[in-house]
Amino acid sequence: MSALSVLDRERSVAPWDYSRWLIPPAALAVHLSIGQAYATSVYKNSLVAHFDTGQTQIGIVFSIAIVMLGLSAAVGGTWVERAGPRKAMLVSALCWSSGFLVSAAGIAAGQLWLVYLGYGVIGGIGLGIGYISPVSTLIKWFPDRPGLATGMAIMGFGGGALIATPVSDALLAFYDPAYDSGAAGSVASGGALVGLFATLGAGYLALMLMGVLLIRVPPEGWAPAGFDPSAAAKAPMVTSASVSAANAVRTPQFWLLWTVLFTNVTAGIGILEQASPLIQDFFRDGGATPVTAAAAGGFVGLLSLFNMGGRFVWSSTSDYIGRKPVYLVYLGAGAVLYVVMATAGGGSVLLFTATACVILSFYGGGFATVPAYLRDLFGTYQVGAIHGRLLTAWSAAGIAGPLIVNSFLDAQGEPGTLTQEAYHGPLFTMVGLLAMGFVANLLIRPVAERFHEPGAAPAPAESAGPAEAGGPEAAPEVPAGGARARTPLLVVSWAVVGVLLGYGVLRILLTAAQLFTG
């Protein structure tokens, strides 16, 4: 038997006494790692100086990674379901970490194409596989709270940048004592960049391997105590049937939800991509703005915090009010808040900041709620593969959002001279997009039976376990000491991800305080 067979789905089935609360830290270990993708601005100027090139050429690195995220998630989604989470998460860890190492070699050799290949292509594949691989497993372990489960994991993707930003600054300063992130124009040396990429590659590999070791799939027939799948299936928009990924893309529900995700993400990126100059321009008067660069940095930090928090809070809320209603909040309330921002936001820093933060919480919540929405509509049979295909909406929004905003602003004048009026065009365009998404969400109905898989068995977590449901077979006897033996593992795994998240949140709050204290 091959040593690698331990990674097979069949070999990663959990024993009956395995705690499902070990699965969220496994997912967080992966998402906190790949969430570093949102922290590339930390070293962007240093890469520009090292390669003696332009912002656009360096920005291509991030663009390639996001495109590869969408492509690898869409193409590899079916393989992820077939191979199982352990093998998929290992592939993600190897691709993500080796992407950093290949990039480090490219920086050392002065070859930018190696950074494109490393972080962009290889790392981007790790991004896509890592993003979807824990999600369907979490849904199977938490059939009673799918929104909570996906919110916990995808929160990590939003939190990854909160950790990576201060850690990257500290590492660059460690490898290059002359570098000062607080000084305008300060850039790190090529050697510091090599050290940064190599260290991040090794560190993320270790963290993601923790996730690989913890992840398990539930045994056949397992269900949480007290869960009644027949009662859950009676909820509006929730199915107990199975729909394959191939059939899902043939349904109007898939494309309506694609539109919903596309419009919600495009609107969020409209603020996120332009965050720092946005708040400075809104309060510009006579060429000067009272919002300093440091305060604008605090604003960006707050947006990151609400982006992360919204992924957990709103997704968890959807377990109680339903996926369709919560998207009506994201899209309807989001449109109203954009109108408030465009018309009254310039009158108060507090009002402007509050509206922007809530909008970004909707943006993050949309990402975290969509896997549970897919589970409701299509079942858990191939939800990971369907999720991967749906993420092409993210790739499209990543192009559309900045293009819409920048096209309007380029027509209004030069950066540093714009005022609130210059943003009316892009902000009201976002209102129109959100209205389109609102209508698309209203049109979503349960999937027609002709798309169901007659021969596909329901996922294990969709069937109540024999012990809980009174089935004909008794559940295997669980050793009394099994759960107690895993308690230290539970504590340690949650402590690792908790400390990392706590560190990132603390640093962001300290930075955000400058928005109101100057």
Side-chain angles (χ1 to χ4, degrees), residues 498-517:
V499 167
L500 290 172
L501 273 173
Y503 170 73
V505 170
L506 177 62
R507 290 295 301 264
I508 287 297
L509 288 175
L510 292 175
T511 304
Q514 299 179 62
L515 180 61
F516 303 104
T517 60

Side-chain angles (χ1 to χ4, degrees), residues 228-277:
D228 183 356
S230 61
K234 293 177 183 176
M237 304 296 296
V238 178
T239 182
S240 59
S242 298
V243 180
S244 69
N247 272 342
V249 297
R250 296 170 51 219
T251 66
Q253 287 84 355
F254 177 88
W255 294 106
L256 287 169
L257 193 51
W258 192 98
T259 302
V260 167
L261 184 63
F262 170 78
T263 55
N264 191 59
V265 173
T266 301
I269 288 178
I271 286 182
L272 198 59
E273 192 265 344
Q274 195 70 15
S276 180

Side-chain angles (χ1 to χ4, degrees), residues 19-23 25 214 485-495:
S19 173
R20 63 174 176 167
W21 291 101
L22 283 166
I23 309 303
L214 290 175
R486 291 189 177 88
T487 300
L489 186 61
L490 192 66
V491 172
V492 170
S493 60
W494 275 103

Side-chain angles (χ1 to χ4, degrees), residues 74 78 243-256 258 374 378 382 385-392 447 451:
T78 304
V243 180
S244 69
N247 272 342
V249 297
R250 296 170 51 219
T251 66
Q253 287 84 355
F254 177 88
W255 294 106
L256 287 169
W258 192 98
L374 290 171
F378 303 108
Q382 289 190 335
I386 300 170
H387 186 208
R389 286 161 171 76
L390 194 77
L391 287 180
T392 54
V447 176
F451 295 108

Side-chain angles (χ1 to χ4, degrees), residues 36-183:
Q36 186 276 343
Y38 278 150
T40 55
S41 60
V42 174
Y43 49 77
K44 184 178 181 181
N45 288 340
S46 297
L47 286 174
V48 169
H50 177 70
F51 286 106
D52 191 22
T53 189
Q55 296 274 353
T56 300
Q57 286 74 18
I58 299 301
I60 289 173
V61 177
F62 177 74
S63 298
I64 293 173
I66 294 301
V67 169
M68 292 305 299
L69 183 157
L71 290 176
S72 60
V75 174
T78 304
W79 173 82
V80 168
E81 289 286 350
R82 184 175 65 252
R86 185 180 285 177
K87 185 177 291 185
M89 286 165 62
L90 179 62
V91 168
S92 170
L94 294 176
C95 287
W96 184 237
S97 60
S98 62
F100 278 96
L101 299 180
V102 170
S103 297
I107 295 169
Q111 299 294 320
L112 183 57
W113 70 271
L114 277 175
V115 183
Y116 291 160
L117 173 65
Y119 191 97
V121 177
I122 301 173
I125 293 172
L127 266 174
I129 299 299
Y131 192 89
I132 64 173
S133 56
V135 172
S136 62
T137 305
L138 272 166
I139 289 175
K140 292 178 176 68
W141 278 103
F142 289 84
D144 50 338
R145 297 290 303 278
L148 170 72
T150 57
M152 281 189 290
I154 296 176
M155 175 184 69
F157 194 84
L162 304 188
I163 300 166
T165 297
V167 168
S168 296
D169 273 335
L171 286 171
L172 288 173
F174 174 77
Y175 289 117
D176 181 4
Y179 170 72
D180 181 4
S181 62

Side-chain angles (χ1 to χ4, degrees), residues 67-484:
V67 169
M68 292 305 299
L69 183 157
L71 290 176
S72 60
V75 174
T78 304
W79 173 82
V80 168
E81 289 286 350
R82 184 175 65 252
R86 185 180 285 177
K87 185 177 291 185
M89 286 165 62
L90 179 62
V91 168
S92 170
L94 294 176
C95 287
W96 184 237
S97 60
S98 62
F100 278 96
L101 299 180
V102 170
S103 297
I107 295 169
Q111 299 294 320
L112 183 57
W113 70 271
L114 277 175
V115 183
Y116 291 160
L117 173 65
Y119 191 97
V121 177
I122 301 173
I125 293 172
L127 266 174
I129 299 299
Y131 192 89
I132 64 173
S133 56
V135 172
S136 62
T137 305
L138 272 166
I139 289 175
K140 292 178 176 68
W141 278 103
F142 289 84
D144 50 338
R145 297 290 303 278
L148 170 72
T150 57
M152 281 189 290
I154 296 176
M155 175 184 69
F157 194 84
L162 304 188
I163 300 166
T165 297
V167 168
S168 296
D169 273 335
L171 286 171
L172 288 173
F174 174 77
Y175 289 117
D176 181 4
Y179 170 72
D180 181 4
S181 62
S186 179
V187 294
S189 65
L193 288 168
V194 171
L196 170 69
F197 273 69
T199 304
L200 289 179
Y204 286 135
L205 178 62
L207 182 59
M208 294 173 82
L209 286 179
M210 183 188 85
V212 173
L213 292 173
L214 290 175
I215 200 73
R216 297 287 190 281
V217 295
E220 185 175 359
W222 178 91
F227 175 63
D228 183 356
S230 61
K234 293 177 183 176
M237 304 296 296
V238 178
T239 182
S240 59
S242 298
V243 180
S244 69
N247 272 342
V249 297
R250 296 170 51 219
T251 66
Q253 287 84 355
F254 177 88
W255 294 106
L256 287 169
L257 193 51
W258 192 98
T259 302
V260 167
L261 184 63
F262 170 78
T263 55
N264 191 59
V265 173
T266 301
I269 288 178
I271 286 182
L272 198 59
E273 192 265 344
Q274 195 70 15
S276 180
L278 176 70
I279 190 171
Q280 295 181 75
D281 292 342
F282 247 72
F283 296 93
R284 192 180 305 282
D285 183 18
T289 177
V291 182
T292 65
F299 175 67
V300 174
L302 272 180
L303 293 185
S304 299
L305 193 59
F306 275 79
N307 177 16
M308 181 187 75
R311 293 168 187 250
F312 178 73
V313 173
W314 288 115
S315 185
S316 299
T317 302
S318 75
D319 285 331
Y320 297 99
I321 69 173
R323 253 59 77 173
K324 187 173 182 177
V326 85
Y327 268 98
L328 293 178
V329 173
Y330 298 158
L331 301 161
V336 171
L337 288 173
Y338 262 113
V339 172
V340 172
M341 176 184 287
T343 57
S348 165
V349 172
L350 180 60
L351 175 64
F352 179 88
T353 303
T355 55
C357 285
V358 176
I359 288 171
L360 259 292
S361 78
F362 294 160
Y363 167 81
F367 277 118
T369 310
V370 82
Y373 207 161
L374 290 171
R375 181 262 180 213
D376 291 351
L377 290 169
F378 303 108
T380 61
Y381 173 48
Q382 289 190 335
V383 68
I386 300 170
H387 186 208
R389 286 161 171 76
L390 194 77
L391 287 180
T392 54
W394 183 5
S395 298
I399 297 171
L403 183 63
I404 291 169
V405 174
N406 292 325
S407 296
F408 274 106
L409 297 183
D410 285 343
Q412 292 295 321
E414 296 295 322
T417 66
L418 301 177
T419 60
Q420 177 181 352
E421 288 71 24
Y423 288 87
H424 284 170
L427 292 180
F428 283 116
T429 300
M430 298 305 172
V431 172
L433 281 171
L434 289 172
M436 290 173 54
F438 188 89
V439 172
N441 187 53
L442 283 176
L443 294 174
I444 295 176
R445 298 290 186 271
V447 176
E449 289 187 13
R450 69 179 184 274
F451 295 108
H452 294 171
E453 292 290 304
E462 288 207 346
S463 302
E468 292 87 348
E473 299 178 9
E477 185 177 344
V478 178
R484 289 195 299 272

